[in-house]
Amino acid sequence: SIADYVDDVVSVAQALPTPPVVIGHSMGGFIVQKYLESHSAPAGVLMASAPPQGVRAAFVRLVKREPWANLRGVLTGSTMAPLDSSARARKSMFSPATPEPLVLDYLQRFQQESRRALFIDLTFRNLPRPERVTAPLLVVGAEHDGTFTVDEVHATARAYQAESHVFPGMGHDMMLEPGWRAVAEQIAAWLDTTLTPRRS
């Protein structure tokens, strides 16, 4: 469950000498939101994150785009069915400009997601409560994200009264795209600005 993932973050964070900045991508961004509801952190970053209203809209878009692959996923219980080829993986996870060898390499590393987390917690059962989060947040998204839309990125930022930044020409897996360095530099610059006053 998402609660299990959050417990994992808690166990690691509590073992560190100081509370960490928490950064999460996609479902990891959802986990960061849930973690920050009840735990303090200097800051958080949501990268191409599942929005606080959940993933129902994303599921509808995915089913419309790949109905047969999703039906196969339902029948077999595989969350990887909609990503069973480089073409399908590119539509959901990468930009049109990502080199095909990279897509093929990453596709071999994809693994099953938790069906309970995806189809229950992220859909309706355990949605985030932005009003409980006090840590400063940065929300970053990708222009060619085939999973979450630019509008959802901005809506997530509004829910947390946070700054948002959408990277042009990038896909959902922002940390794997050729332009990953620009994303990392944006996050580092924001953290430097956000955390410096807290140190003084």
Side-chain angles (χ1 to χ4, degrees):
S1 69
I2 287 297
D4 293 323
Y5 286 113
V6 172
D7 286 345
D8 286 343
V9 176
V10 172
S11 67
V12 173
Q14 290 180 341
L16 298 174
T18 57
V21 170
V22 283
I23 302 174
H25 170 262
S26 196
M27 186 168 76
F30 193 95
I31 294 164
V32 165
Q33 293 172 64
K34 294 301 296 180
Y35 171 82
L36 291 175
E37 285 182 10
S38 54
H39 297 84
S40 61
V45 180
L46 309 180
M47 297 177 58
S49 175
Q53 66 267 29
V55 298
R56 283 168 292 185
F59 279 145
V60 169
R61 290 191 297 269
L62 183 58
V63 168
K64 287 181 177 178
R65 187 171 68 223
E66 299 286 352
W68 296 114
N70 281 279
L71 176 60
R72 187 167 65 253
V74 170
L75 294 176
T76 63
S78 171
T79 63
M80 287 295 297
L83 303 172
D84 63 355
S85 70
S86 64
R88 288 194 176 104
R90 184 183 294 278
K91 286 179 183 177
S92 292
M93 301 293 175
F94 301 100
S95 72
T98 305
E100 183 68 7
L102 285 182
V103 176
L104 290 171
D105 180 39
Y106 295 139
L107 179 58
Q108 299 305 311
R109 305 181 191 205
F110 286 174
Q111 298 182 36
Q112 286 275 88
E113 297 273 23
S114 163
R115 286 177 290 171
R116 175 179 172 179
L118 280 176
F119 301 131
I120 298 177
D121 292 341
L122 273 81
T123 305
F124 64 89
R125 184 175 182 182
N126 196 13
L127 299 181
R129 299 181 179 181
E131 68 277 5
R132 295 186 176 184
V133 175
T134 58
L137 285 178
L138 171 66
V139 180
V140 296
E143 178 187 18
H144 297 301
D145 191 332
T147 304
F148 302 116
T149 68
V150 169
D151 285 345
E152 286 171 327
V153 173
H154 293 313
T156 298
R158 287 194 300 272
Y160 290 99
Q161 299 180 11
E163 179 182 339
S164 62
H165 186 90
V166 174
F167 287 83
M170 297 197 76
H172 181 71
D173 277 347
M174 307 171 71
M175 63 285 180
L176 303 179
E177 293 269 84
W180 67 267
R181 189 176 299 275
V183 182
E185 290 173 349
Q186 175 77 22
I187 292 171
W190 179 81
L191 286 172
D192 187 58
T193 301
T194 302
L195 299 182
T196 298
R198 292 172 172 248
R199 297 191 187 113
S200 60

